[in-house]
Amino acid sequence: MSAPIIVFDLDGTLVDTAPDLLDSLNHCLETVDMEPVKHEDVNRIVGFGSRVMIERAFALRKRHLDGGQLDALQAAFLDHYTANVPGHSRPFPGAVETVERFHAAGYTAAVCTNKLEGMSLSLLEALGIVGHFSAICGGDTFPMRKPDPGHLLRTIAMAGADPQRAVMVGDSRTDIDTAKAAGIPVIAVDFGYTDQHVSTFEPSRVISRFDELTVEMVEGLIAATAS
């Protein structure tokens, strides 16, 4: 029998990447003489990939953005972000210990993120935790990406785990909708990047700290889904 699995989103769930995403966003906006995005706007901007971040920044400033300009700005964003990994990004308190706790209980762990796969690997390598995950699947790993359930299901398959004994952990509506569409229970953290409280999107559970994420909670959710 395949191992049970706990699948994590990356930005805003496992790792607090907002400071570096914001730095790279403002770097590319500076090239078009645009006012920087402030930290208080992070939850309105971050969490949907670099292209959406740039689009939302332009919408916030009521500036027109065409496709060619978006491509150039995204390239500047990615160059800056890649050159500065890991920057100020750090795992959220208790995140690494939680993954280790689930490993000790016989679970495998994976990452399913819309961040590009190479950038995700570079970040986790720089933080020294890439070896904690049996699969790290980004927005360009498969032909689909979240909220398509195929992204999550293929991540589980790549990790060699059992989708019938799986749970997703994320911070956004995208994560919650993905897991629901895959028929997998989902635990939402309420400290991530979303402009509405995650309870609005009706996850299976909401946690505020990683020490609340227990093996007993996950096993209960998996059992309830199977029954």
Side-chain angles (χ1 to χ4, degrees):
M1 183 180 293
S2 299
I5 186 169
I6 184 164
V7 183
F8 295 90
D9 173 53
L10 183 53
D11 295 355
T13 300
L14 273 176
V15 181
D16 183 7
T17 54
D20 297 306
L21 294 173
L22 196 60
D23 282 351
S24 294
L25 175 62
N26 285 331
H27 167 78
C28 72
L29 296 180
E30 186 179 7
T31 67
V32 290
D33 297 319
M34 193 162 152
E35 182 183 350
V37 173
K38 298 178 182 178
H39 183 75
E40 53 262 35
D41 292 320
V42 162
N43 284 359
R44 300 168 62 185
I45 299 289
V46 172
F48 299 90
S50 57
R51 290 181 76 84
V52 175
M53 286 175 62
I54 295 165
E55 289 170 341
R56 289 189 171 192
F58 269 71
L60 195 64
R61 302 290 184 249
K62 297 181 171 57
R63 288 272 297 268
H64 173 72
L65 176 66
D66 61 41
Q69 188 179 30
L70 177 57
D71 289 342
L73 289 171
Q74 185 188 30
F77 177 102
L78 295 176
D79 285 347
H80 184 271
Y81 186 85
T82 302
N84 290 281
V85 168
H88 299 290
S89 296
R90 296 292 182 270
F92 283 104
V96 176
E97 293 82 358
T98 295
V99 176
E100 293 170 345
R101 185 166 66 249
F102 275 86
H103 279 316
Y107 282 70
T108 191
V111 170
C112 180
T113 174
N114 280 344
K115 196 185 198 79
L116 298 177
E117 180 182 320
M119 293 172 66
S120 302
L121 285 166
S122 295
L123 175 61
L124 293 170
E125 286 172 353
L127 294 173
I129 56 174
V130 69
H132 284 60
F133 304 101
S134 298
I136 298 166
C137 300
D140 58 340
T141 304
F142 308 117
M144 75 291 290
R145 57 189 285 168
K146 297 183 297 185
D148 190 310
H151 190 178
L152 175 56
L153 292 170
R154 290 195 185 194
T155 298
I156 293 168
M158 186 173 286
D162 184 355
Q164 302 300 314
R165 295 194 295 158
V167 69
M168 175 82 187
V169 183
D171 72 308
S172 70
R173 180 173 189 165
T174 298
D175 299 317
I176 294 165
D177 287 350
T178 301
K180 286 182 176 180
I184 289 170
V186 55
I187 298 166
V189 301
D190 66 3
F191 47 75
Y193 312 145
T194 178
D195 56 0
Q196 298 182 60
H197 194 274
V198 286
S199 61
T200 306
F201 311 122
E202 300 183 344
S204 308
R205 295 284 188 279
V206 176
I207 61 170
S208 299
R209 303 184 314 275
F210 269 111
D211 60 10
E212 298 176 53
L213 180 53
T214 64
V215 173
E216 291 75 19
M217 175 192 289
V218 168
E219 289 180 343
L221 290 173
I222 292 173
T225 302
S227 62

